């Protein structure tokens, strides 16, 4: 009859370690149980998971032993929320445990073995504990097949539960139980420290080997932990033929993690090439650059589309906002945007530029107006200027532009420029403020030039 | 970049040419619909229409190959739908994420790892910027962001070039 209950499947699996299907079923059941318990984000790492599992194991397995035929998943298997809460529980249970410890039934030991196997596989445990758990598992099975009842261990070393790596402690306890007051007991007691933990299961396994013919995978389990245990780095579980490189784990979780990280690194490199100033080595700053660049591009599209058909008036609110937000500090982005805004609005105002020689007076008036507006609100000043197709820029920049545009096709510009400079000296605005209004009629010179010349930034004292 | 630049002019199927075609077509439509506005509010609306047209034509040019283009198209269509009958924003959100919600809890778990990988602020900011970035893990998000940046670059360049040509023509 095909075994249907979990325990039966456990038996089936342990006897046939090569069959994969029951294992997956076990895993699924185990995972279902695990997911019933609330998700504990603090213990997301694999080691913590195993610790939790193994720490909860003694209490749960004892409960199992009491009622082996309980088909409902044992509620005590629910992972304790934090390790600290589990500890006192464990300390209480040991005194009562020895009575229940005896593996009276073959089924019970196999249940435990199956559970450990599941924990080992699903938890992705630290190599030492995995090897130890597996070894112990095999021993249990062998002992059970050998003589039915295992000798009881009266003295469950309470301190073993308090060992620093609690997973080791619980395995130790079970290990001790398995061999009772035998020769291993003394060594088991002595090996409470985690460092020596590696060797004892191996020794135990050696002895266990002497006792009886092991299960199918036991031989391999025994050999491999001996060989690799001392390195402390590379586990070699019989179910995976691949040997891991030193310092790297073979369990699927960390492999997936590694792959994921590599992929992310690839993508970041690709982004680095796209984004200007992408020479940052730090991931966080690189992300900042990316974010800024995307914002800049989106803003550029917005402004371009507005300035295309909108004319100056519609652009003014946008530009005013930008100037109030990021004056001087917006870097190339802000400047270029204002540039293109002005560039876009110029076709409107180019027709007006022919009137400039006669409108020197109006320019002065404009200046006064702008100065007045600036005292109250930058935004409205900008708006006013934009309505006239003008922009603000520091004098130094304006002089730089005028020198480069000496060949511009609009000679009116220079005269205006000089007259404005002249009039600015007497301007009503405070002398510390470097403000110059220049008619940026350099649109016709093409895009590349426009982006340089029309850069507008207001510098405030 | 330059060799590609030249080839894209000649290649009728490149992203650039597709985008330009769509964009100009939509611009012509806009021009036909409304005569040139004089009042600021009308101008503002028109600018908004132009921007939407630009985005939409970009998304159409990319097609459904990318998550962000699909998300953008959804958003635009929903916005257009919303203009008519007044739909609440919550409905819009559901529609946008419909396609991407299939990932379920896997997404959440990966997003928590993503926040560990890079700063939590930055990933959330990036998700907001890239359309459709809310429901992607970091790996895909970076991928989409790269493609989005490329397309945005193309878009900006195209609009600017078209504008320059137009202004030259006006003179």
């Amino acid at each position: 009859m095909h075994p249907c209950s979990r325990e039966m499947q456990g038996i089936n699996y342990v006897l046939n370690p090569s069959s994969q299907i029951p294992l997956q079923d076990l895993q699924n059941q185990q995972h279902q149980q695990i997911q019933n318990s609330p998700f504990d984000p603090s213990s997301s790492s694999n080691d913590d998971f195993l610790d939790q599992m193994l720490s909860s194991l003694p209490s749960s397995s004892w409960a199992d032993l009491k009622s082996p035929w309980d088909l409902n998943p044992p509620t005590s298997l629910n992972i304790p929320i934090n390790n600290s809460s589990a500890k006192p529980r464990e300390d209480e249970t040991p005194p009562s445990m020895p009575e229940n410890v005896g593996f009276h039934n073959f089924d019970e030991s196999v249940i435990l073995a199956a559970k450990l196997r599941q924990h080992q596989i699903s938890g992705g445990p630290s190599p030492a504990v995995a090897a130890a758990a597996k070894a112990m598992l095999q021993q249990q099975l062998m002992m059970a097949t050998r003589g039915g009842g295992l000798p009881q261990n009266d003295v469950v070393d309470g301190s073993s539960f308090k060992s620093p790596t609690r997973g080791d402690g619980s395995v130790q306890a079970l290990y001790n139980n398995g061999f009772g007051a035998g020769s291993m007991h003394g060594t088991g007691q002595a090996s409470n420290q985690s460092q020596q933990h590696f060797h004892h299961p191996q020794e135990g396994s050696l002895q266990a080997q002497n006792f009886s013919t092991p299960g199918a995978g036991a031989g391999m389990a025994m050999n491999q932990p001996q060989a690799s245990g001392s390195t402390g780095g590379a586990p070699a579980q019989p179910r995976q033929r691949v040997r891991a490189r030193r310092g790297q784990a073979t369990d699927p979780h960390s492999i997936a993690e590694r792959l994921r990280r590599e992929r992310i690194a690839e993508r970041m490199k690709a982004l680095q090439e796209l984004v200007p100033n992408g020479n940052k080595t730090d991931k966080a700053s690189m992300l900042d650059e990316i974010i800024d660049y995307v914002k800049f591009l989106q803003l550029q599209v917005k402004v371009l589309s507005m300035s295309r058909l909108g004319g100056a008036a519609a652009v003014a609110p946008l530009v005013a906002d930008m100037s109030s937000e990021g004056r001087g500090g917006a870097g190339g982005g802000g400047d270029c945007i204002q540039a293109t805004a002005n560039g876009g609005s110029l076709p409107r105002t180019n027709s007006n530029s022919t009137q400039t020689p006669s409108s020197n007076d109006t320019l002065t008036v404009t200046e006064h107006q702008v100065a007045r507006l600036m005292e109250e609100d930058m935004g409205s000043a900008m708006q006013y200027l934009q309505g006239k197709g003008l922009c603000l820029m520091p004098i130094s920049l304006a002089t730089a532009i005028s020198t480069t545009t000496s060949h511009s096709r609009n000679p009116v510009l220079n005269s205006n420029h000089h007259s404005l400079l002249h009039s600015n000296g007497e301007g009503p605005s405070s002398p510390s403020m470097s403000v110059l209004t220049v008619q940026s009629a350099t649109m016709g010179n093409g895009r590349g030039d426009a982006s340089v010349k029309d850069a507008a930034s207001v510098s405030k004292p | 970049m330059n060799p590609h630049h030249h080839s894209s002019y000649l290649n009728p199927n490149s992203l650039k040419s597709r985008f330009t075609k769509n964009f100009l077509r939509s611009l012509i439509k806009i021009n036909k619909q409304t005569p040139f506005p004089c009042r600021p509010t009308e101008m503002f609306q028109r600018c908004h229409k132009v921007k939407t047209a630009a985005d939409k034509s970009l998304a159409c040019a990319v097609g459904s190959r990318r998550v962000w283009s699909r998300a953008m198209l959804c958003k635009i269509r929903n916005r257009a739908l919303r203009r008519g009958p007044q739909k609440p924003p919550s409905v819009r959100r559901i529609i946008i994420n419909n396609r991407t919600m299939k990932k379920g809890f896997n997404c959440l778990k990966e997003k928590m790892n993503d926040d560990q990988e890079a700063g939590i602020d930055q990933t959330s900011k990036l998700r907001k910027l890239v359309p459709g970035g809310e429901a992607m893990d970091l790996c895909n998000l970076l991928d989409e962001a790269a493609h989005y940046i490329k397309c945005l670059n193309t878009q900006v360049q195209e609009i600017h070039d078209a504008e320059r040509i137009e202004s030259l023509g006006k003179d």
Side-chain angles (χ1 to χ4, degrees), chain A residues 335-336 338-339 342 391-394 397 401 450-457:
Chain A
D335 292 347
C336 287
Q338 290 191 347
N342 292 327
C391 70
L392 293 174
M393 67 172 65
L397 183 57
I401 288 178
S451 59
V452 169
K453 286 163 194 154
D454 299 346
S457 58

Side-chain angles (χ1 to χ4, degrees), chain A residues 13 35 94 115 143 197 245 260 315 373 416:
Chain A
Y13 174 75
Q35 284 165 4
K115 270 214 195 67
M143 295 304 289
H197 179 71
R245 287 202 301 250
R260 193 174 147 266
V315 185
L373 278 176
N416 285 343

Side-chain angles (χ1 to χ4, degrees), chain A residues 170-237:
Chain A
S170 54
V171 170
Q172 276 275 311
L174 293 166
Y175 182 87
N176 289 337
N177 290 336
F179 281 88
S183 56
M184 288 308 299
H185 186 67
T187 54
Q189 297 259 342
S191 69
N192 276 336
Q193 292 122 19
S194 52
Q195 291 132 10
Q196 301 171 4
H197 179 71
F198 292 130
H199 304 291
H200 293 287
Q202 298 166 18
E203 290 173 281
S205 64
L206 275 176
Q207 291 202 0
Q209 250 179 340
N210 299 334
F211 289 141
S212 67
T213 57
M220 283 194 318
M222 300 313 146
N223 293 332
Q224 285 164 345
Q226 295 168 28
S228 61
S230 54
T231 64
Q237 303 158 8

Side-chain angles (χ1 to χ4, degrees), chain A residues 26 32 53 64 84 120 188 191 318 364 378 382 408 448 456:
Chain A
L26 284 172
Q32 283 168 11
M53 295 305 291
D64 251 356
S84 58
Q120 171 200 344
S191 69
L318 175 70
T364 326
M378 248 350 267
M382 290 294 293
S408 89

Side-chain angles (χ1 to χ4, degrees), chain A residues 26-98:
Chain A
L26 284 172
Q27 271 183 324
N28 290 339
Q29 289 172 349
Q30 189 65 22
H31 282 305
Q32 283 168 11
Q33 289 178 14
I34 292 166
Q35 284 165 4
N36 287 339
S37 64
F39 180 67
D40 185 5
S42 65
S43 64
S44 55
S45 70
N46 294 333
D47 289 343
D48 289 345
F49 181 79
L50 176 70
D51 283 342
Q52 273 189 340
M53 295 305 291
L54 286 177
S55 67
S56 67
L57 181 60
S59 45
S60 65
S61 60
W62 307 144
D64 251 356
L65 293 174
K66 283 179 197 162
S67 58
W69 300 114
D70 186 0
L71 291 180
N72 297 331
T75 54
S76 58
L77 192 59
N78 284 339
I79 306 170
I81 298 299
N82 33 359
N83 290 336
S84 58
S85 68
K87 255 199 171 181
R89 225 179 348 134
E90 281 191 354
D91 290 337
E92 290 165 0
T93 44
S96 59
M97 257 192 267

Side-chain angles (χ1 to χ4, degrees), chain B residues 51-66:
Chain B
K51 175 179 180 275
T52 318
D55 285 339
K56 183 168 181 194
S57 44
L58 181 68
C60 285
V62 172
S64 309
R65 287 197 297 267
R66 285 280 169 172

